[in-house]
Amino acid sequence: MQFIFMTAGVLCLMTHAVIAQQLYTDPRGRFHVTVPAGWMAEPAGGTGARVWGGSASCQLEWLETTEDTRVMLSHFLRQVHEQWQDYQTVGM
């Protein structure tokens, strides 16, 4: 019986965390992203969004190209890494 109450308590906490998240949708409808609870999101320069919370931030960019996507992304990341020291690529 204790297991059932513990499980129910964990599920309630998990549900609260999911509900506390918000969905940011690009004003042009190009993409949407789930923003963690306590974080904020806003449009950034017409090409993406800025998402931040505390001392951390994330810049989301929408890039259109006729180039091979991998080549374009490689050029973009090389330029970003040259400009910002502590920049980390999370996923591609």
Side-chain angles (χ1 to χ4, degrees), residues 39-40 49-60 87-88 90:
W39 284 49
M40 303 293 292
R50 178 176 168 253
V51 181
W52 75 96
S55 63
S57 67
C58 176
Q59 184 74 26
L60 305 170
Y87 181 84
Q88 291 181 319
V90 178

Side-chain angles (χ1 to χ4, degrees), residues 22-62:
Q22 56 183 320
L23 186 66
Y24 171 82
T25 301
D26 173 61
R28 294 184 183 172
R30 299 172 293 187
F31 64 90
H32 63 271
V33 63
T34 302
V35 178
W39 284 49
M40 303 293 292
E42 67 182 3
T47 61
R50 178 176 168 253
V51 181
W52 75 96
S55 63
S57 67
C58 176
Q59 184 74 26
L60 305 170
E61 294 290 332
W62 180 267

Side-chain angles (χ1 to χ4, degrees), residues 4-88:
I4 294 172
F5 288 122
M6 287 175 54
T7 304
V10 169
L11 289 175
C12 287
L13 290 174
M14 288 172 53
T15 303
H16 175 71
V18 171
I19 291 172
Q21 295 176 343
Q22 56 183 320
L23 186 66
Y24 171 82
T25 301
D26 173 61
R28 294 184 183 172
R30 299 172 293 187
F31 64 90
H32 63 271
V33 63
T34 302
V35 178
W39 284 49
M40 303 293 292
E42 67 182 3
T47 61
R50 178 176 168 253
V51 181
W52 75 96
S55 63
S57 67
C58 176
Q59 184 74 26
L60 305 170
E61 294 290 332
W62 180 267
L63 303 172
E64 294 185 27
T65 182
T66 55
E67 286 184 58
D68 179 310
T69 305
R70 291 168 293 194
V71 172
M72 186 270 311
L73 188 56
S74 175
H75 290 263
F76 176 76
L77 291 175
R78 187 177 11 229
Q79 181 180 355
V80 168
H81 283 282
E82 290 172 2
Q83 291 177 353
W84 291 302
Q85 288 183 332
D86 295 324
Y87 181 84
Q88 291 181 319

